[in-house]
Amino acid sequence: AQSVTQPDIHITVSEGASLELRCNYSYGATPYLFWYVQSPGQGLQLLLKYFSGDTLVQGIKGFEAEFKRSQSSFNLRKPSVHWSDAAEYFCAVEANFGNEKLTFGTGTRLTIIP
Amino acid sequence: DVKVTQSSRYLVKRTGEKVFLECVQDMDHENMFWYRQDPGLGLRLIYFSYDVKMKEKGDIPEGYSVSREKKERFSLILESASTNQTSMYLCASKLAGLSTDTQYFGPGTRLTVL
C-alpha cells in the first residue's frame, strides 16, 4: 500500500521569501501525485498534479512541484510567498492502477510573517 | 463549475445520538468519498462509493456506515455517536475511470460530540 510523509508539521516564512514544502512517498511504482491546499475553514483545493511526462509541474497561484523518482519525492515550491498563501498543505498519492483512492500526508501548516 | 456541498458546516451532537452527514455533488460523478480530518493525522478515508448502492470500506470504517441511494448524494451515518468521533468530516467526488481527474472536495462539516 502507498504512504506519504510530510516531514514538516509547521513552517514559517517571511512574505516575499521562497518556499519549499517536502513530500516523500512510498509506492512500488510511480504513483499519481497531488498537492492540495486548505485555507482556514475551507475544503481542499487542488494546486497541481503529476501523472506522467515532464517532472516539473506547474499549478495554480504560482506554485510548482518537481517529481524526483530517485528520491521518491514531490516537493512543492513557490519563488515568492504572499500573505494569502498562509494555509495547510497536503500531499497525496494515488496508485497508478486507478483504484481511485487517495492517501494523504499529515499536512504542513504554513505561516507567513510580514 | 464543480460543486460539492455538505449539509452542515457545524454540528453539535450528544453521545449516543444517531448522526447523518449529507453530501451532494452536481457533476454526475460516479465516485464519492468520506474522510475525517484530525490535527497531525491528515485526512483518512472512512468509506467510498463507486456507484449507487455500492460502497467499500476505507481505512477507518469502524463506527460509521454510509448510504448511496442516488448518484448525487452520499450520506455518512454515525449509528451511536461517541466523543472520539469529534472531527472535521470532508466529502469528495470524482469522475470514475478518468485517472487524470482529481477529487473535488466539499467545505467540510465540523462535528462535535459532547
Side-chain angles (χ1 to χ4, degrees):
Chain A
Q2 62 265 32
S3 66
V4 180
T5 301
Q6 292 181 251
D8 303 306
I9 296 172
H10 185 205
I11 285 182
T12 300
V13 176
S14 298
E15 190 167 14
S18 64
L19 171 70
E20 183 168 28
L21 301 182
R22 296 184 290 164
C23 173
N24 292 95
Y25 68 89
S26 172
Y27 182 61
T30 300
Y32 301 140
L33 295 158
F34 306 82
W35 274 101
Y36 287 85
V37 61
Q38 185 180 38
S39 298
Q42 303 296 313
L44 271 69
Q45 181 183 22
L46 180 69
L47 283 176
L48 46 78
K49 57 190 177 185
Y50 172 79
F51 293 102
S52 64
D54 193 347
T55 57
L56 187 62
V57 181
Q58 301 298 321
I60 62 171
K61 306 186 181 190
F63 285 92
E64 66 177 26
E66 186 172 11
F67 168 58
K68 292 186 177 180
R69 186 192 311 272
S70 61
Q71 299 175 20
S72 296
S73 69
F74 188 56
N75 293 349
L76 182 71
R77 300 195 294 248
K78 187 169 184 178
S80 176
V81 298
H82 185 262
W83 64 267
S84 60
D85 293 324
E88 189 147 23
Y89 292 79
F90 293 93
C91 182
V93 303
E94 178 183 341
N96 64 5
F97 57 81
N99 69 356
E100 316 274 28
K101 292 194 288 183
L102 288 173
T103 299
F104 285 86
T106 51
T108 298
R109 185 161 62 92
L110 176 64
T111 297
I112 309 293
I113 56 175
Chain B
D1 233 11
V2 167
K3 190 131 185 183
V4 180
T5 57
Q6 296 184 228
S7 51
S8 306
R9 292 300 300 271
Y10 299 94
L11 208 53
V12 180
K13 296 292 181 181
R14 298 229 173 253
T15 302
E17 279 192 80
K18 190 168 186 175
V19 181
F20 293 86
L21 303 182
E22 305 284 340
C23 175
V24 178
Q25 50 95 2
D26 65 357
M27 297 148 304
D28 205 34
H29 285 172
E30 291 84 3
N31 295 344
M32 296 187 74
F33 307 82
W34 275 107
Y35 297 89
R36 66 177 280 175
Q37 181 182 7
D38 300 288
L41 297 177
L43 278 76
R44 294 177 291 166
L45 182 64
I46 304 172
Y47 267 97
F48 70 102
S49 168
Y50 47 89
D51 203 349
V52 175
K53 297 192 185 295
M54 306 299 282
K55 62 185 179 185
E56 204 166 308
K57 292 180 180 179
D59 299 319
I60 52 163
E62 297 78 19
Y64 303 94
S65 62
V66 290
S67 172
R68 183 126 181 245
E69 297 296 319
K70 293 186 178 181
K71 190 175 186 180
E72 67 271 18
R73 188 180 298 269
F74 191 34
S75 302
L76 180 70
I77 303 157
L78 287 66
E79 294 288 343
S80 177
S82 64
T83 54
N84 63 13
Q85 293 179 308
T86 292
S87 186
M88 169 72 92
Y89 290 88
L90 291 164
C91 174
S93 72
K94 180 178 183 290
L95 195 62
L98 188 65
S99 294
T100 54
D101 197 6
T102 185
Q103 293 185 20
Y104 295 90
F105 284 82
T109 295
R110 186 166 294 282
L111 172 67
T112 301
V113 182
L114 301 175

